[in-house]
């Protein structure tokens, strides 16, 4: 039995065909005929045939030039068939890709895919002054992500969270991709209300989210119709959810048999153009529903950017009626400059004993950033053009500044909230610097400060001052 030979690569086959053609053509030349006998041509052709797997070790029949020409044609056809077979195998073979975006395993036809992603954030937090919070090292986020597609119709994402005292599920949803203009999403995912809430944790320019995000729901369970039209210039989302309190994730099941309806429209009218306004986007998010119950699953607690609670309801207060949020929002990015802003109102009917009140809380934030090293700023983060350590690259450097405010409805005090432990408003500003060493590695440092206003008859909370540093690894 002849040992199996490795297939010829395309360049080798081309060279082989040209060599054989030269042999035969040369044999018809009188000069070459004197220098090279037909027997020598036959021996060379036979060796090439064995290498190509056309014949075995036995001598091939036919010694004339016509026979050599016929054998050459057979060999060329054999090489063509081998090339077609290799192309067919390559077309159906799975493709494995490992790069700065993680690992991807894709079927040959591209319809089935599994991607492995990850996000790890470790913080060092130091509080300055009279804060009652402890200085600490903190594992803020530890999230592996599995995402991909099951055929052309179904896409999926699954993200657990391992930071904290116990594991939890952050995202778990499937998309039915009927068309880019209308996709149906089912599962647990971010509610489409807040602008910054919808931004990936890895792309935030500051270590923690702004005060306006405290009034927007985070992840919720439900079903949502979403899509983009006009080449991404208009996007929308409209969904039905169990309902989440301000600034938090929903619990694993509907606690009160009430649903919440949420939606968002967003416009980028100059997207894809050469206009200076190509990076302009603006829209409106909102939600409406009802909540009935007491405790953390129905009424929120609001936190500062330093993650200290500055407002909470009294224990006897109930969520008892309509809830409504609305949020105008927008961004503008041009080259290295970025600006993001949003305003949000959250109102909730509450009750205690025989009294009822509709409370309206308001917040806003504006965040500016500038990339000093020439890269473009964007809602999805910064990618360094010259990664650290590669050809003398130093990465990308970004400066950030943010200001925000959250105001509690005055009617909340003193009956629904205790003015001795809760503030009536908070103002917060943050200055920061980000160093993107590589597309996967980021160092961030923030100085943040918050000041409070006391409600009538209450005690003013001490200012919060802190320095937060973060090491982020993402892929």
């Amino acid at each position: 039995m002849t040992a199996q030979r490795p297939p010829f690569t395309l360049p080798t086959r081309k060279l082989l065909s040209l060599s054989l053609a030269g042999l035969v053509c040369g044999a018809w030349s009188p000069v070459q005929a004197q220098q090279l006998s037909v027997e020598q041509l036959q021996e060379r052709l036979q060796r090439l045939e064995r290498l190509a797997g056309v014949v075995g070790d036995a001598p091939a029949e036919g010694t004339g030039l016509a026979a050599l020409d016929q054998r050459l044609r057979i060999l060329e056809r054999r090489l063509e068939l081998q090339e077609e077979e290799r192309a067919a195998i390559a077309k159906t073979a799975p493709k494995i890709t490992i790069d700065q975006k993680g690992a991807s395993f894709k079927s040959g036809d591209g319809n089935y895919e599994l991607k492995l992603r990850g996000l790890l954030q470790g913080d060092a937090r130091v509080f300055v002054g009279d804060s009652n919070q402890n200085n600490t090292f903190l594992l803020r986020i530890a999230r592996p992500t599995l995402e991909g597609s099951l055929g052309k119709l179904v896409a999926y994402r699954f993200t657990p969270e391992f930071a904290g005292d116990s594991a939890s599920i952050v995202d778990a949803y499937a998309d039915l991709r009927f068309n880019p203009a209308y996709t149906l999403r089912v599962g647990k995912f971010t509610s489409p209300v807040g602008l910054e809430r919808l931004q990936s944790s890895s792309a935030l320019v500051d270590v923690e989210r702004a005060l306006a995000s405290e009034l927007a729901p985070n992840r919720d369970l439900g079903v949502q119709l979403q899509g983009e039209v006009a080449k991404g210039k208009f996007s929308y989302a409209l969904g039905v959810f169990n309902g989440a309190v301000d600034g938090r994730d929903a619990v694993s099941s509907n606690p009160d048999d009430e649903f919440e309806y949420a939606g968002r429209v967003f416009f980028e009218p100059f997207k894809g153009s050469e206009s200076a306004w190509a990076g302009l986007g603006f829209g409106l998010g909102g939600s409406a529903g009802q909540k009935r119950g007491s405790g953390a699953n129905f009424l929120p607690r609001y936190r500062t950017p330093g993650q200290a609670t500055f407002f909470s309801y009294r224990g006897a207060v109930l969520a008892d009626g309509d809830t409504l949020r609305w949020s105008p929002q927008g961004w503008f990015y041009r080259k290295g400059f970025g600006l993001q802003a949003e305003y949000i109102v959250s109102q909730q009917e509450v009750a205690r004993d025989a009294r009822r009140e509709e409370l309206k809380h308001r917040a806003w934030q504006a965040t500016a950033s500038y990339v000093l090293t020439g890269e473009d700023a964007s809602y999805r983060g910064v990618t360094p053009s010259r990664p650290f350590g590669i050809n003398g690259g130093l990465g990308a450097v970004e400066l950030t500044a943010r200001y925000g405010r959250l105001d509690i409805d005055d009617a909340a005090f003193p009956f629904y909230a205790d003015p001795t432990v809760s503030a009536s408003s908070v103002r917060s500003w943050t200055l920061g610097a980000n160093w993107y060493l590589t597309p996967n590695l980021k160092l961030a440092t923030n100085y943040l400060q918050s000041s409070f206003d006391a409600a009538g008859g209450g005690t003013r909370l001490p200012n919060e001052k802190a320095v937060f540093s973060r090491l982020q690894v993402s892929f």
Side-chain angles (χ1 to χ4, degrees):
M1 180 180 295
T2 304
Q4 187 175 5
R5 300 171 178 84
F8 282 71
T9 62
L10 182 58
T12 305
R13 291 171 180 170
K14 288 183 177 179
L15 181 61
L16 178 58
S17 298
L18 292 173
S19 301
L20 290 172
L23 287 174
V24 175
C25 292
W28 289 100
S29 169
V31 176
Q32 292 292 337
Q34 294 177 1
Q35 297 177 355
L36 194 62
S37 68
V38 173
E39 289 79 8
Q40 290 174 314
L41 289 173
Q42 182 180 359
E43 290 176 1
R44 293 186 179 184
L45 180 58
Q46 188 173 339
R47 285 198 299 270
L48 293 172
E49 286 174 331
R50 285 198 297 269
L51 288 174
V54 176
V55 297
D57 295 329
E61 296 182 358
T63 58
L65 291 177
L68 290 176
D69 181 67
Q70 180 63 26
R71 288 164 60 187
L72 173 62
R73 295 176 185 274
I74 294 174
L75 180 57
E76 288 178 334
R77 179 56 182 159
R78 176 64 177 270
L79 293 175
E80 290 175 358
L81 293 174
Q82 287 182 354
E83 185 62 32
E84 292 173 0
E85 182 181 357
R86 282 172 54 85
I89 293 174
K91 186 176 181 180
T92 58
K95 299 176 178 62
I96 301 175
T97 303
I98 300 177
D99 56 23
Q100 67 187 40
K101 297 181 180 180
S104 172
F105 307 87
K106 184 182 291 187
S107 63
D109 59 10
N111 290 332
Y112 295 84
E113 185 174 18
L114 171 63
K115 298 178 184 178
L116 176 62
R117 304 283 187 255
L119 176 60
L120 181 67
Q121 293 178 342
D123 293 1
R125 303 191 169 195
V126 177
F127 293 89
V128 182
D130 298 330
S131 173
N132 57 4
Q133 294 181 265
N134 295 330
N135 301 332
T136 185
F137 293 106
L138 176 68
L139 182 60
R140 187 67 173 91
I141 286 178
R143 297 175 183 172
T145 294
L146 296 176
E147 62 183 17
S149 59
L150 300 173
K152 295 181 178 180
L153 180 63
V154 180
Y156 61 89
R157 180 182 178 94
F158 177 73
T159 303
E161 173 65 87
F162 294 108
D165 297 328
S166 60
S168 60
I169 303 299
V170 176
D171 289 316
Y173 62 80
D175 287 343
L176 302 181
R177 302 178 296 185
F178 301 107
N179 188 286
Y182 43 91
T183 294
L184 191 66
R185 177 167 292 181
V186 181
K188 183 179 181 181
F189 50 92
T190 303
S191 178
V193 177
L195 179 66
E196 193 188 43
R197 279 291 175 194
L198 289 167
Q199 189 173 23
S200 169
S201 297
S202 64
L204 296 175
V205 298
D206 291 314
V207 171
E208 291 292 346
R209 298 183 191 269
L211 287 169
S213 292
E214 285 296 295
L215 299 190
N218 197 17
R219 288 174 172 84
D220 207 342
L221 283 86
V223 56
Q224 175 175 284
L225 182 66
Q226 61 189 40
E228 294 183 351
V229 296
K231 297 181 180 179
K233 294 180 180 179
F234 171 71
S235 60
Y236 72 93
L238 181 64
V240 182
F241 301 90
N242 283 346
V245 300
D246 294 349
R248 303 294 181 270
D249 293 347
V251 294
S252 58
S253 61
N254 193 341
D256 60 357
D257 200 31
E258 301 284 357
F259 290 108
E260 187 168 84
Y261 304 89
R264 179 176 184 259
V265 291
F266 203 79
F267 300 88
E268 297 176 76
F270 305 103
K271 184 177 182 179
S273 71
E274 298 298 325
S275 169
W277 298 98
L280 174 67
F282 55 90
L284 178 68
S287 66
Q290 292 190 335
K291 289 186 177 68
R292 301 184 188 279
S294 62
N297 293 337
F298 299 92
L299 290 172
R301 293 176 296 170
Y302 297 133
R303 298 174 300 184
T304 67
Q307 303 302 288
T309 299
F310 72 92
F311 175 82
S312 59
Y313 288 95
R314 294 182 183 272
V317 178
L318 305 175
D320 190 26
D322 294 338
T323 178
L324 176 68
R325 305 182 187 95
W326 55 276
S327 174
Q329 53 197 242
W331 68 52
F332 178 70
Y333 294 99
R334 177 154 177 80
K335 297 182 179 179
F337 175 75
L339 177 64
Q340 178 179 306
E342 61 184 314
Y343 175 83
I344 185 168
V345 175
S346 175
Q347 61 188 65
Q348 170 72 60
E349 290 186 332
V350 298
R352 180 187 172 194
D353 300 332
R355 292 177 56 179
R356 300 175 57 84
E357 189 73 49
E358 182 180 74
L359 301 179
K360 293 182 180 180
H361 309 314
R362 298 171 174 85
W364 64 273
Q365 67 96 3
T367 302
S369 63
Y370 189 78
V371 184
L372 299 176
T373 45
E375 289 84 355
D376 290 339
S378 80
Y379 184 69
R380 293 174 177 81
V382 175
T383 300
S385 58
R386 300 181 63 219
F388 182 84
I390 300 178
N391 298 325
L394 296 176
V397 178
E398 178 183 44
L399 300 181
T400 72
R402 181 176 71 194
Y403 186 84
R405 181 183 177 108
L406 194 157
D407 293 305
I408 303 298
D409 193 322
D410 291 338
F413 300 99
F415 191 71
Y416 300 102
D418 186 349
T420 64
V421 296
S422 294
S424 64
S425 68
V426 58
R427 298 173 302 279
S428 180
W429 57 272
T430 302
L431 295 177
N434 299 320
W435 183 16
Y436 302 85
L437 286 83
T438 73
N440 307 104
L441 181 61
K442 171 183 173 182
L443 295 175
T445 299
N446 285 177
Y447 174 80
L448 51 96
Q449 182 169 320
S450 300
S451 57
F452 307 89
D453 292 329
T459 303
R460 185 178 178 275
L461 301 179
N463 290 349
E464 178 185 75
K465 302 176 183 179
V467 176
F468 287 1
S469 297
R470 171 170 291 172
L471 171 65
Q472 173 177 292
V473 177
S474 61
F475 58 88

